[in-house]
Amino acid sequence: MFRKVLVANRGEIAVRVMRACEELGVRTVAVYSEADKHAGHVRYADEAYNVGPARAADSYLDQEAVLEAARKADADAIHPGYGFMAENAAFAARVVESECTWIGPPPEAMERLGEKTKARRVMDAAGVPVVPGTTDPIEDPAEVAAFAEEHGYPVAIKAEGGGGGRGMKIVEHEGEIEEQFEAAKREGEAYFDNDSVYLERYLDAPRHIEVQIVADHHGNVRHLGERDCSLQRRHQKVIEEGPSPALSDDLRERIGEAARRGIADTDYTNAGTVEFLVEDGEFYFLEVNTRIQVEHPVTEMITGIDIVKEQIRVAAGNEISFEQEDVEVDGHAIEFRINAENAANDFAPATGRLSTYDPAGGIGVRIDDAVRQGDEIGGDYDSMIAKLIVHAGDREECLARSERALREFDVEGFHTVIPFHRLMVTDERFTAGTHTTNYLDEELDPERIDRAVERWGPDDDAEEETDEEVSEREFTVEVNGKRFEVNLEERGAPSIPTGGGSGGGGGMDRPDAATGDDGGGAVATGEGERIDAEMQGTILSVEVAAGDEVAAGDVVLVLEAMKMENDVVAESGGTVAEVLVSEGESVDMGDPLVVLE
C-alpha cells in the first residue's frame, strides 16, 4: 500500500479521496490555488502545497506545479479525482514516468477511450452499438453542414476531451454552425486542454444510462450495475439515481454486458464508467469516462462497495476484492448535486458567504462536501458545493426520504438549487420515472421553478449577520510553497479579513474598480451606459472593440463563471466607447466591462 497520496483536485472529491486514504492508513497531500487557501480539502489534508493563481489553467491544470508539489511532499501516488487533469493521458504518462504511481487507468487506455472518436472505434470493434457520428476530429465548420445534410439536425459538436456536458454544443440549424463550432472548441481548450471536436447525431429524447466498471491488473473486470442520469439541464447532470427506473431486466443485462465487454478489450485497469443513450428500447454507446464519477456514491450506496478504495488498491497492484456474483443491488439511491446556483435565474451561478450551513442527516442520508459554515463561495470553479445522497429500500421510499432530507438541508447566504430539488421529488414526471434528458430544458414549465425558489429559496433582502468582534483567528503561512497554519488570539482587536474560503477570491476587500480607488482594477472613464459583470468569473472572449456599433441584445463578451459560459449583452444600442477588460482576465461582480455611448 502507498505511504502518501497527493490528490490533484479540490472540493468534495478531494476530501472523498482523502477519507478513503485515511481509512487505508495512507497520509494525504492537498494542492491548492490562491483562491483555495482556506478551502475544505486543504483543511482536511495532512499537508498542502500552493500550485498557483486562482485561474485553473495556472494552478490545478499546471502539470509541472502539481508534479513539483508531489516531489516536495515525497508522495508515492497521485489521485486525480474527476475534472481538471483526471482524463489527461499526457499528465498520467508524466506521473507514470515520475516516482509516483498514477491512481487511474494506464495512459494508453486513457488515450484510446478518453478521446471520444477513438473510443467510438474501440467500442464499434467490440460489437457495442454506437450513435452515428464522425470517427475522426473535424477541422472546419463546413464538415458540420455536410454531416447535417446526411443525418439531419440537430447535430452535437463535442470536445474530444470533454465530459459532464462541458465542450458540447447543439446545432439546431445551419445558422448556428460557426458559433457553436467555435464555442465547443473554446470550452474543450479551456477545460480539457484539447480543442479537438467531433460530431454525433443528436438524439432528441433519450435516457442517459451509465455503467460503473472496475478492472485490475490481473485480468479481472467487474461491473457494478447502472445509474440513471437522465435529469439534466444544459447537458449537465443534476440528479442521478440507481438502479434506473426505465430499464427492463433484459435491457439492463445487455447494457451491463456490453460495458464489460467493451472495457475488457482495451487493457483498461482501475475505475471507469461506460455511458449509453437509451431510446425506443435500443441503446447506443456514448463515451467512457476514464476516472471516478461525480455520482459514484449512488453505486456505493446500493452495492456497499467503496469504489475509491478499490481504485487505490488496484493501483497498488491488488486484485479486485469481490467477484461479479458478489455484486448485489440493495434498494435504491438518489444523488442531488447541491450547486450554488439560482434556479429561478436560468441556474445562474451564485456566490457569497455561507452564513448558515446545516446539512441533512438521519438514516439513509450521506453528505459529501468540503465546506463549513462561514466559508466564502466564489466563482472560480465548479458551482457544486456538496452532494446529498439518499438511500432506501425502494424508489418510493427513497423519494420520500429525499423530500425529508432536502427540507432539512439549510443553506443561507446565497441561492442554491435545493428549492429546485424539492420541486423535482414531487414532480409527476420525475416520480413516475418517465423523464428524459430534455425534460428540464424543453418541457418543465419555468414558472414552476420560479415558484419553488420563491417559496423555499433565501430572502434576497435579508441582511447577512456579521461578527463584530473576533478574538481568535487562524492564519496561513507559506514556506517554500508548503502551507502551515498559525493560530492567533487577540482580545478587543478589530476584525481582520481572513481572505476567503472554499471558493475563489471571496472575503478579501477589493476597492470598487469603477470609482477609481486604488485596487488595480479597470476604471471606466467615459460617459454612457456601463455594462457591469453580473457575477464573478473569467473573460473567455471579447466580441467588440472601441468604435463598434452594437444593437440591443448583441453579445459584447463571453464570461465564464463556475464552468458555464455566459453571454454578456448590451441592453440598448450604441457605440462602444471603451472596453475595460481583455480575454483571460478575472473580474468580480460589479466590475465595469464595457462602456457604450
Side-chain angles (χ1 to χ4, degrees):
M1 187 48 66
F2 305 113
R3 292 180 295 102
K4 187 185 293 187
V5 171
L6 181 145
V7 183
N9 218 293
R10 67 178 301 280
E12 59 81 25
I13 186 57
V15 172
R16 167 70 186 94
V17 173
M18 291 172 188
R19 283 173 170 155
C21 289
E22 186 176 21
E23 292 180 15
L24 292 171
V26 178
R27 290 181 61 81
T28 57
V29 181
V31 292
Y32 64 95
S33 72
E34 290 288 345
D36 274 345
K37 280 186 177 182
H38 304 279
H41 73 288
V42 179
R43 295 191 293 257
Y44 193 94
D46 293 308
E47 54 188 290
Y49 293 82
N50 188 323
V51 290
R55 187 168 178 261
D58 300 323
S59 51
Y60 294 109
L61 290 172
D62 186 334
Q63 297 184 20
E64 189 55 47
V66 173
L67 290 171
E68 178 61 22
R71 287 190 287 269
K72 287 180 179 178
D74 192 27
D76 54 350
I78 293 178
H79 192 301
Y82 54 72
F84 294 133
M85 295 187 289
E87 294 183 277
N88 189 318
F91 177 66
R94 292 191 66 181
V95 174
V96 171
E97 291 167 2
S98 73
E99 298 180 357
C100 289
T101 297
W102 172 252
I103 303 179
E108 299 79 13
M110 293 178 66
E111 189 174 359
R112 283 194 298 272
L113 294 175
E115 291 191 357
K116 315 309 181 188
T117 53
K118 293 179 180 179
R120 287 167 57 84
R121 290 195 291 268
V122 168
M123 290 296 166
D124 189 44
V128 179
V130 298
V131 178
T134 58
T135 55
D136 292 300
I138 65 167
E139 304 292 340
D140 191 276
E143 297 178 70
V144 183
F147 183 86
E149 186 174 344
E150 179 180 356
H151 297 283
Y153 290 101
V155 174
I157 306 176
K158 307 180 75 173
E160 275 210 295
R166 310 296 185 199
M168 180 169 77
K169 299 298 178 182
I170 307 304
V171 179
E172 300 285 353
H173 53 80
E174 186 176 1
E176 295 182 338
I177 290 177
E178 189 166 344
E179 177 187 353
Q180 300 292 55
F181 176 77
E182 293 299 331
K185 290 176 69 68
R186 186 168 60 241
E187 284 192 11
E189 175 67 28
Y191 301 133
F192 309 104
D193 198 25
N194 181 353
D195 69 352
S196 294
V197 296
Y198 69 103
L199 304 177
E200 278 184 355
R201 190 186 79 191
Y202 184 67
L203 300 181
D204 290 326
R207 300 288 293 216
H208 186 122
I209 306 295
E210 59 187 31
V211 178
Q212 178 69 59
I213 292 290
V214 181
D216 64 24
H217 297 278
H218 305 275
N220 301 305
V221 181
R222 310 278 188 259
H223 78 78
L224 309 184
E226 88 282 353
R227 298 183 289 258
D228 192 315
C229 308
S230 300
L231 199 72
Q232 304 178 7
R233 50 95 182 157
R234 298 177 188 162
H235 314 292
Q236 297 272 326
K237 301 168 186 173
V238 180
I239 298 176
E240 303 98 344
E241 61 181 309
S244 170
L247 298 188
S248 65
D249 290 341
D250 175 67
L251 189 54
R252 175 173 289 112
E253 183 176 348
R254 287 165 54 204
I255 290 178
E257 174 55 27
R260 191 207 61 78
R261 184 173 68 249
I263 290 294
D265 287 348
T266 62
D267 297 324
Y268 189 96
T269 58
N270 218 269
T273 304
V274 187
E275 300 195 346
F276 298 92
L277 297 178
V278 177
E279 192 172 71
D280 299 328
E282 299 296 329
F283 67 94
Y284 305 93
F285 169 75
L286 178 61
E287 63 187 23
V288 177
N289 287 302
T290 58
R291 53 169 168 78
I292 197 72
Q293 292 277 91
V294 176
E295 57 272 20
H296 76 275
V298 168
T299 299
E300 292 182 330
M301 296 294 273
I302 60 177
T303 64
I305 295 170
D306 188 322
I307 301 171
V308 177
K309 281 186 182 177
E310 290 298 326
Q311 282 191 290
I312 298 169
R313 293 190 185 107
V314 165
N318 298 339
E319 289 192 57
I320 297 172
S321 63
F322 56 90
E323 300 294 331
Q324 186 64 58
E325 53 267 26
D326 297 331
V327 180
E328 296 182 356
V329 173
D330 176 22
H332 199 90
I334 303 177
E335 176 180 285
F336 302 88
R337 301 189 185 199
I338 309 302
N339 296 341
E341 298 172 0
N342 184 351
N345 187 24
D346 199 26
F347 291 89
T351 58
R353 177 178 176 270
L354 274 171
S355 56
T356 298
Y357 183 72
D358 187 10
I363 186 170
V365 173
R366 165 178 167 177
I367 301 292
D368 280 19
D369 62 14
V371 297
R372 64 185 179 191
Q373 189 163 299
D375 279 356
E376 291 281 345
I377 306 301
D380 291 292
Y381 310 111
D382 193 279
S383 60
M384 187 172 64
I385 61 172
K387 299 186 303 197
L388 166 66
I389 308 98
V390 180
H391 178 247
D394 55 35
R395 191 169 189 265
E396 183 178 4
E397 183 184 25
C398 193
L399 286 168
R401 183 167 290 166
S402 297
E403 188 175 1
R404 183 267 297 171
L406 288 163
R407 187 169 59 249
E408 289 182 5
F409 208 134
D410 189 10
V411 178
E412 294 179 5
F414 49 81
H415 282 277
T416 72
V417 295
I418 290 175
F420 166 79
H421 288 319
R422 294 182 66 176
L423 170 66
M424 295 316 300
V425 293
T426 59
D427 177 78
E428 184 176 345
R429 282 286 299 278
F430 181 72
T431 57
T434 59
H435 58 285
T436 61
T437 57
N438 63 3
Y439 177 57
L440 295 186
D441 292 332
E442 300 178 14
E443 300 180 37
L444 183 66
D445 183 357
E447 291 187 3
R448 295 184 60 202
I449 299 177
D450 295 345
R451 290 194 294 269
V453 173
E454 184 178 357
R455 180 180 179 185
W456 294 310
D459 181 1
D460 291 333
D461 296 326
E463 293 186 5
E464 182 180 322
E465 294 182 3
T466 58
D467 296 325
E468 294 297 331
E469 296 182 2
V470 179
S471 60
E472 184 175 340
R473 288 288 185 178
E474 182 181 273
F475 291 88
T476 298
V477 177
E478 288 181 6
V479 179
N480 195 26
K482 184 175 181 180
R483 181 182 189 274
F484 297 89
E485 294 178 356
V486 178
N487 292 321
L488 176 66
E489 184 173 302
E490 295 183 287
R491 301 188 181 278
S495 177
I496 305 171
T498 61
S502 70
M508 293 293 287
D509 292 333
R510 178 183 179 188
D512 185 357
T515 67
D517 290 345
D518 184 20
V523 179
T525 58
E527 296 181 359
E529 178 194 349
R530 198 181 79 182
I531 302 175
D532 295 338
E534 294 185 356
M535 63 193 74
Q536 184 183 47
T538 302
I539 304 300
L540 282 184
S541 67
V542 178
E543 306 296 329
V544 296
D548 287 354
E549 296 290 333
V550 298
D554 283 355
V555 176
V556 297
L557 56 83
V558 179
L559 174 68
E560 184 269 330
M562 294 186 176
K563 293 190 177 181
M564 288 189 291
E565 289 194 10
N566 302 273
D567 290 339
V568 178
V569 301
E571 293 187 3
S572 59
T575 303
V576 177
E578 292 181 273
V579 177
L580 301 166
V581 293
S582 57
E583 184 176 327
E585 185 175 342
S586 295
V587 297
D588 286 339
M589 182 182 298
D591 280 358
L593 306 174
V594 175
V595 176
L596 301 180
E597 59 181 18

